Amino acid sequence: MGHRVSKQQQQHNNNSSNSNHNNKKEKRQSIGRRKLIGNLIYPNSNSNNSSKKRKSSSLQCKQEKSGVNVLVLGASGSGKTTLINQIRLMSSDNISKEERLEYRTVILFNIIEAMQSILSAMNKYDVPIDCVHRKAVAEKLLQEVNPFPTTLDIFRSIRSLWKEEGNIQLLYDTRHEYQLSTINDTAEYYFEHTLEHVSSSKEALINYLPTDQEILRANRKTTSIVEHSNISFKQVTEGSDAGSNITTYDYSYYNILDVGGLRSYRKQWAEAFAYKSLFSTLLFMVSLSEYDQCLLEDSTTNRMQESLLLFESICDLQYFKKSSIILFLNKTDVFKEKLSSSPLYVYFPHYKGGDHYENACQFILGQYKKITVKSPNKKIYTHFICALDTVDVQLVMSALHEDIIQISLDQTTLL
Ligand SMILES: Nc1nc2c(ncn2[C@@H]2O[C@H](COP(=O)(O)OP(=O)(O)O)[C@@H](O)[C@H]2O)c(=O)[nH]1
Ligand SMILES: [Mg+2]
């Protein structure tokens, strides 16, 4: 089970520059990058504080561990925790009842927040609710604030709005055209599956324990460094001629560090970097589908630009200067779906590939690869995935394992 180790918060602002003068621009960008991942990781900034934090840390990864150690980084919402949960579900480190109960609250809140976001957007765009009774229900629901009352009444109201008010589903389906990024892409799954169950009776609601599929879709902010130790699993490989295609790799144990991706939590990453020698494999997660969205913390910064800047600042860090990086380009499902309704060239004017999925994938990948050109020894291993798709993740895990072996060979050669 995940082991929580620290909780600190500090807000940082992005200072990326638009100056025409290159040196000024670089200087400002460097300040911006510094703020992106917090001062702690820079040796000349507040180093006393840093060592104190490290000393007070109870990270289990201080000890040598056998197996593969992977540090997963990336902006908030890119899918880090979802991928790790998929890996855990495939392995012996299943999700306990206690953790499922924590997810229960998150999911019930996700459902209420998603319907509130839809209703707010309907108000904003003057989309009417036809029935007077449902209009009153919607107004009441909009007044609820976090922590939400998770009563049977609320879920029955949401169910009736979703099932009976045509404009609500219409607005949900066209959310990409309206740039409604506050409406979670996984909400439909809850409206179609979870609501049926939790609104069926008081007992069903009280005893509700989320399934694996529901947990994978939960939007839960990671607020501390979470270590998942000794995740062991059998890998499925294709093309085995021994009758069975199930095989276990030599490295069957994974130790994975998950971190909070919001700017305010990036200061904690220093703690994870301090164990760089142990967590030698760096996996950077990107959400492909967020090219047309702004940050939750800052409505003026494009999420893809933030992720690119974050990636650049990670690549520039002394800790990772020579490291190879595994780049996961996630949310291929949403990316594919929204390309035609939200053209990529609007956000990246250099892009000329239209709404062709492969062109768009290669363009975004190119933006990340460009960043690593200045470090010729750095190898980038890339994978396009949909972290919600178990089969996809299973296939990628086999490839990931090959990458990790290659990275360890590369490192031996470089020594
Ligand atoms: N549609 C879709 N949703 C995803 C995918 N990966 C993650 N998500 C959802 O995106 C949201 C944020 O994911 P999360 O793993 O918490 O991001 P993190 O902040 O990087 O840990 C959750 O609601 C996930 O279910 C994906 O490949 N496709
Ligand atoms: Mg997370």
Side-chain angles (χ1 to χ4, degrees), residues 224-242:
S224 58
I225 300 176
V226 184
E227 184 188 1
H228 301 280
S229 300
N230 285 328
I231 304 178
S232 75
F233 56 87
K234 288 180 177 175
Q235 304 245 22
V236 180
T237 50
E238 288 172 353
S240 166
D241 54 7

Side-chain angles (χ1 to χ4, degrees), residues 4-49:
R4 282 167 202 276
V5 285
S6 68
K7 195 167 190 176
Q8 312 155 359
Q9 293 186 24
Q10 185 172 324
Q11 188 71 36
H12 293 282
N13 296 318
N14 178 20
N15 265 349
S16 67
S17 157
N18 288 323
S19 164
N20 289 330
H21 304 289
N22 277 348
N23 53 349
K24 258 192 188 170
K25 185 177 170 185
E26 262 173 33
K27 194 172 169 194
R28 284 205 229 152
Q29 278 184 339
S30 132
I31 295 167
R33 286 203 291 278
R34 189 184 173 107
K35 291 199 170 184
L36 275 172
I37 44 183
N39 291 329
L40 257 176
I41 51 179
Y42 288 84
N44 60 353
S45 60
N46 208 359
S47 56
N48 287 343
N49 204 2

Side-chain angles (χ1 to χ4, degrees), residues 80-82 220-222 258-261:
K80 301 181 289 300
T81 305
T82 309
R220 180 190 199 185
K221 292 278 157 285
T222 308
D258 188 13
V259 297

